[in-house]
Amino acid sequence: MPWPPRVLIVEDESIIALATKANLKRMGCEVVATAATGLQAVEYAARKRPDVVLMDIMLEGSMDGIEAASRIRENNPAMPIIYCTAYTDSATRVQAAQTNPTAFMGKPLDYGVLKELIDELE
C-alpha cells in the first residue's frame, strides 16, 4: 500500500466522522472522503479508489454498511474494508463477515489498534 494510505470514512454521525478524520490525519493517513450514506460510500469508493474503507454498519438512507461493503466488493474485490461499528452482536458480525472484511472493530474506536490494522495492510 502506498504511503500515506488513502482512507474513505463511512460514518453517519458527524462528530464521530470528524474525530476519526482528525485521528487518521494525526497518524499520517490521507482521508479522501467522508460518506454518511451507503450510496455515497459506493460512489466514493469507485471514484476515489481509497486504499482502505472504514465502514460503519448503521448509516443514513436505505442502504446499510453491510450492503455498501458488498457493492464495493463487487467493483473492487481486493479493497480492504474495516468495519467500525457499535453493533457487535453475533448476528451482525455473521452478516458482516459475508463481505469478507479485513477487520471488525467495536466503538468507541481504539485509534492505536486502528493504526496497527492500517499499517498491516502495507
Side-chain angles (χ1 to χ4, degrees):
M1 178 184 314
W3 189 260
R6 301 174 70 248
V7 182
L8 169 60
I9 299 170
V10 185
E11 171 60 62
D12 64 337
E13 296 285 338
S14 59
I15 292 172
I16 295 172
L18 287 171
T20 302
K21 183 176 183 177
N23 278 287
L24 287 170
K25 285 185 171 187
R26 205 170 298 121
M27 291 178 208
C29 297
E30 177 187 346
V31 176
V32 297
T34 302
T37 69
L39 185 58
Q40 283 178 331
V42 173
E43 290 173 0
Y44 288 155
R47 196 172 57 211
K48 306 272 187 179
R49 307 299 262 173
D51 298 312
V52 62
V53 177
L54 303 184
M55 181 71 73
D56 190 12
I57 290 180
M58 300 308 276
L59 300 171
E60 291 178 11
S62 60
M63 186 187 311
D64 68 13
I66 296 171
E67 183 179 346
S70 180
R71 290 190 184 188
I72 289 169
R73 286 269 187 248
E74 289 173 10
N75 296 327
N76 188 341
M79 186 174 291
I81 296 174
I82 299 173
Y83 283 108
C84 302
T85 183
Y87 293 85
T88 57
D89 61 278
S90 60
T92 300
R93 289 181 72 107
V94 166
Q95 188 180 5
Q98 294 174 2
T99 64
N100 195 28
T102 303
F104 196 98
M105 293 187 66
K107 288 182 182 174
L109 294 179
D110 179 328
Y111 293 106
V113 172
L114 181 59
K115 180 169 182 0
E116 289 174 12
L117 287 171
I118 292 172
D119 287 347
E120 288 173 6
L121 297 172
E122 297 183 282

